[in-house]
Amino acid sequence: MELAQQKVPIPDQKLLPEKTSPQDEKKSRAGLLHALGRLKPMLPVLASGLRMVDHGAVQAVAQLLNFVDGGAGGQSAAKEELHQGLAEIDAGHRELRLRVQDQTVEMKRIEEQITLLRQTSERNAIEHAELVNEVKSLNSLVRTIGAGLAILLIVLISLVGLLLSRHS
């Protein structure tokens, strides 16, 4: 409400105290009243906001005064509560730090296991490739030996047949 009673200077208006006519004064007052009329719906919101700010400021000042003037009993209780809260926070912080360290150690152990598994897997892949190559070479050796034995068998049968035909 006090805002509506205060005179708000209009930036567009030129202040010439000696040469103001009654019409100019009426126009400036009408412009001011029009501007205040536009702010009228906002007045309850502004008033409640100012009350909240005043209430918060009063509470903060009261707490500071109570803290300063509260005497030894009030201060010691507040300090004790503050120290107890800080001790709880510190204990929680230590516990979290230990958990983080445990998790870090566990992660490093898992990373080492993954590295060992990767190395084992690569070794097994290399051994598998070598085994496949050995089986292929063994297969070709068996085929070569089989072909050689087949040729020798054919030669042996033909020689036995030739030998039997000459002796009979």
Side-chain angles (χ1 to χ4, degrees):
M1 298 294 170
E2 293 173 358
L3 292 174
Q5 294 175 356
Q6 293 178 352
K7 291 186 179 180
V8 178
I10 300 173
D12 294 339
Q13 182 182 7
K14 294 182 181 177
L15 298 177
L16 298 173
E18 299 170 359
K19 298 180 180 179
T20 56
S21 67
Q23 286 180 337
D24 289 338
E25 287 182 32
K26 287 181 183 179
K27 286 182 184 178
S28 67
R29 287 182 186 168
L32 179 62
L33 290 175
H34 181 67
L36 290 175
R38 288 189 295 189
L39 291 175
K40 190 175 183 178
M42 296 293 293
L43 286 178
V45 175
L46 290 173
S48 64
L50 287 174
R51 267 188 261 130
M52 285 192 293
V53 169
D54 284 344
H55 182 67
V58 167
Q59 282 185 347
V61 169
Q63 286 178 354
L64 285 174
L65 288 175
N66 190 19
F67 189 70
V68 171
D69 293 333
Q75 285 182 352
S76 65
K79 285 182 181 179
E80 182 65 31
E81 184 179 332
L82 182 63
H83 285 296
Q84 186 178 16
L86 288 175
E88 289 175 3
I89 290 172
D90 193 36
H93 182 66
R94 270 189 250 118
E95 182 180 333
L96 285 175
R97 186 180 306 152
L98 289 175
R99 284 185 184 176
V100 167
Q101 287 175 350
D102 290 343
Q103 291 292 329
T104 304
V105 169
E106 185 71 21
M107 286 176 55
K108 286 181 181 179
R109 187 180 62 80
I110 289 172
E111 286 176 357
E112 289 173 358
Q113 287 179 350
I114 288 173
T115 303
L116 290 175
L117 285 172
R118 184 179 302 129
Q119 290 172 352
T120 305
S121 169
E122 289 173 356
R123 231 179 295 124
N124 285 342
I126 292 170
E127 289 175 0
H128 184 294
E130 290 174 356
L131 183 62
V132 167
N133 287 335
E134 288 176 7
V135 167
K136 284 181 181 178
S137 67
L138 184 61
N139 187 17
S140 64
L141 180 64
V142 167
R143 285 186 181 189
T144 305
I145 290 175
L149 286 176
I151 292 172
L152 285 177
L153 183 61
I154 292 172
V155 169
L156 181 66
I157 291 174
S158 57
L159 285 177
V160 168
L162 185 64
L163 185 65
L164 284 176
S165 66
R166 285 201 182 191
H167 274 323
S168 6

